[in-house]
Amino acid sequence: MSATAAPSSPHVMNTYGRLPIALSHGQGCRVWDTEGRAYLDGLGGIAVNTLGHNHPELVPALQDQIAKLIHSSNYYHVPGQEQLATKLTELSGLTNAFFCCTGLEANEAALKLARKFGHDKGIERPEIVVYEAAFHGRSIATLSATGNPKVQQGFGPLVEGFIRVPLNDIDALKKATEGNPNVVAVFFETIQGEGGIHPMRWEYLRQVRELCDQRDWLMMIDEVQCGMGRTGKWFAHQWAGIKPDVMPLAKGLGSGVPIGAVVAGPRAANIFGPGNHGTTFGGNPLAMRAGIETIRIMEEHKLLENAANVGAHLKAALERELGGLAGVTEIRGQGLMLGIELDRPCGVILNRACEAGLLLSVTADSVIRLVPPLILSIAEADEIVAILAPIVKAFLEEPRK
Ligand SMILES: *Cc1c(COP(=O)(O)O)cnc(C)c1O
């Protein structure tokens, strides 16, 4: 990529290491940059663009809503909130939803729910179990819950009241909480995203559910990245046949329109009352319409099945091309949430894939992450593999740095 193609942003705060391109428009799973170069979108704006780009049913619906009402206020009833909450409770088997604008905001609300759940039963210093390598956002509370020192570095003092445990180890969870009457909740991602596509085992989810029931803890599952159909079920924990008490959502819920939600079951649905929590933009008519239409279009076009089928095809193809190679540690994930872990840091693959016309990300230093739009076709999945496999092979043949 030529240096002159790099757009510079001298007045934008320097919070991201950015690739030297700027995207201008998209169609389906394809996007174009301002220089006219095309890319296959294996990232979907980080698991956000559920319906890809310029979806022929989503765009007119959003245009219609913008012309009617973008924002009103939570001072009034917002009919779209009732409609989307009803839909989300149907899909999840839970009972009530609160709407906000981002993933961290949804998680922040979940953490507040857990603390108030504790206070309401007389626990003055509630503690919440969180996990190694977890990612829950970048507010002070959610970065404190996050299990990555890089995210926390420079922002202490951290919020207290978290107990950290390893994944998939029920004995470690029992030991870490033994005899502690202040524990109020267990909080985790069904499949860790930023942490490197690490799934919780279904058996472990069932064990945690049982423990939460026994001890009267809230089971809070951050489905911000793995939810909304990405794994082939509406929510990734549904593969284990369990239901959480609290489920934060965001990313894919609005196909690109900022939206977050906390969906709660009977044990958590009535913890907040008027004045306990709020947000100016949350639940606005435009975001609600985006959520409603996203789900409607997903149902109509059977995108859960597509995510499962195309995801399985993609994973099998990646296994075939890369699975046996020295240097490839593991290929993990489910549906259209896949990670290829290498035995060394591989951030440069992001740049090389971009130069070759494929957008993806590298997370946790050594995990190539694919979270494309859920409309991805088999042919497009094959194209991802055709671009990516040679890049990974060439990378692994280079001398280690
Ligand atoms: C992205 C992400 C968040 C944070 O969402 P934002 O919208 O960036 O605040 C929280 N949890 C998980 C699991 C995520 O993947």
Side-chain angles (χ1 to χ4, degrees):
M1 216 165 294
S2 72
T4 53
S8 71
S9 297
H11 301 297
V12 174
M13 262 198 215
N14 188 20
T15 53
Y16 283 91
R18 295 176 197 267
L19 290 164
I21 62 166
L23 300 177
S24 124
H25 60 284
Q27 184 64 53
C29 290
R30 207 69 62 175
V31 285
W32 285 264
D33 70 15
T34 49
E35 309 279 301
R37 291 195 31 157
Y39 303 84
L40 182 57
D41 190 358
L43 184 63
I46 320 183
V48 166
N49 297 107
T50 304
L51 303 177
H53 306 275
N54 193 24
H55 192 281
E57 291 170 59
L58 180 68
V59 171
L62 294 181
Q63 284 168 334
D64 171 69
Q65 188 59 50
I66 286 170
K68 281 184 179 143
L69 196 62
I70 296 173
H71 175 84
S72 52
S73 164
N74 285 306
Y75 282 2
Y76 317 107
H77 285 274
V78 179
Q81 288 187 14
E82 189 52 37
Q83 218 181 320
L84 184 54
T86 302
K87 198 69 216 183
L88 288 173
T89 58
E90 272 171 29
L91 301 178
S92 64
L94 302 179
T95 60
N96 293 74
F98 168 83
F99 294 106
C100 52
C101 303
T102 67
L104 84 77
E105 233 191 311
N107 286 335
E108 191 82 24
L111 296 173
K112 284 180 70 176
L113 273 177
R115 282 194 168 187
K116 190 157 185 301
F117 173 73
H119 282 276
D120 286 351
K121 51 180 184 170
I123 297 172
E124 277 177 21
R125 302 186 62 80
E127 295 180 49
I128 298 166
V129 176
V130 292
Y131 285 74
E132 290 170 4
F135 182 84
H136 297 298
R138 290 172 180 277
S139 68
I140 298 287
T142 57
L143 75 80
S144 300
T146 289
N148 178 351
K150 275 195 212 162
V151 172
Q152 299 172 336
Q153 185 67 40
F155 299 108
L158 300 181
V159 171
E160 54 185 322
F162 293 110
I163 300 168
R164 197 167 304 281
V165 299
L167 279 73
N168 289 319
D169 184 342
I170 195 69
D171 292 331
L173 173 58
K174 286 179 180 164
K175 195 148 174 271
T177 55
E178 207 172 271
N180 183 343
N182 294 329
V183 177
V184 291
V186 181
F187 183 40
F188 60 88
E189 301 149 83
T190 311
I191 303 178
Q192 290 186 336
E194 306 306 301
I197 317 294
H198 292 289
M200 293 286 188
R201 286 198 308 270
W202 300 347
E203 179 56 25
Y204 180 75
L205 294 177
R206 291 191 278 263
Q207 290 168 331
V208 174
R209 178 67 271 177
E210 203 180 325
L211 198 62
C212 286
D213 289 341
Q214 284 168 4
R215 311 239 171 127
D216 194 32
W217 300 340
L218 295 179
M219 186 183 201
M220 310 206 297
I221 308 191
D222 179 350
E223 292 254 353
V224 166
Q225 188 161 159
C226 58
M228 290 314 297
R230 182 152 292 283
T231 66
K233 290 208 187 272
W234 282 105
F235 308 108
H237 65 262
Q238 290 174 331
W239 288 101
I242 53 122
K243 270 196 260 179
D245 300 300
V246 178
M247 175 175 66
L249 299 173
K251 291 202 164 86
L253 177 55
S255 293
V257 176
I259 183 172
V262 185
V263 192
R267 297 173 66 215
N270 299 306
I271 294 172
F272 284 159
N276 286 143
H277 194 56
T279 156
T280 301
F281 290 117
N284 69 73
L286 177 61
M288 294 303 97
R289 186 75 181 266
I292 293 160
E293 297 291 340
T294 295
I295 293 172
R296 185 186 64 72
I297 294 165
M298 287 177 73
E299 286 181 326
E300 197 176 298
H301 294 267
K302 299 194 169 22
L303 292 187
L304 262 55
E305 281 169 39
N306 193 65
N309 294 339
V310 178
H313 177 90
L314 178 56
K315 192 175 183 188
L318 290 168
E319 288 280 5
R320 204 162 46 239
E321 285 292 323
L322 301 171
L325 293 184
V328 176
T329 309
E330 197 180 13
I331 298 172
R332 291 189 293 266
Q334 200 174 354
L336 288 172
M337 181 171 186
L338 298 175
I340 306 157
E341 181 167 2
L342 305 187
D343 65 355
R344 65 202 77 171
C346 62
V348 69
I349 285 183
L350 172 75
N351 304 63
R352 294 184 188 172
C354 182
E355 282 164 28
L358 172 65
L359 303 184
L360 46 72
S361 83
V362 172
T363 189
D365 290 334
S366 57
V367 181
I368 302 163
R369 170 175 51 178
L370 294 166
V371 282
L374 304 190
I375 57 168
L376 193 80
S377 68
I378 294 278
E380 287 162 338
D382 289 339
E383 198 181 331
I384 288 178
V385 178
I387 299 172
L388 182 57
I391 292 173
V392 175
K393 285 177 190 164
F395 173 77
L396 290 173
E397 277 163 19
E398 291 165 14
R400 282 181 192 239
K401 294 231 170 61

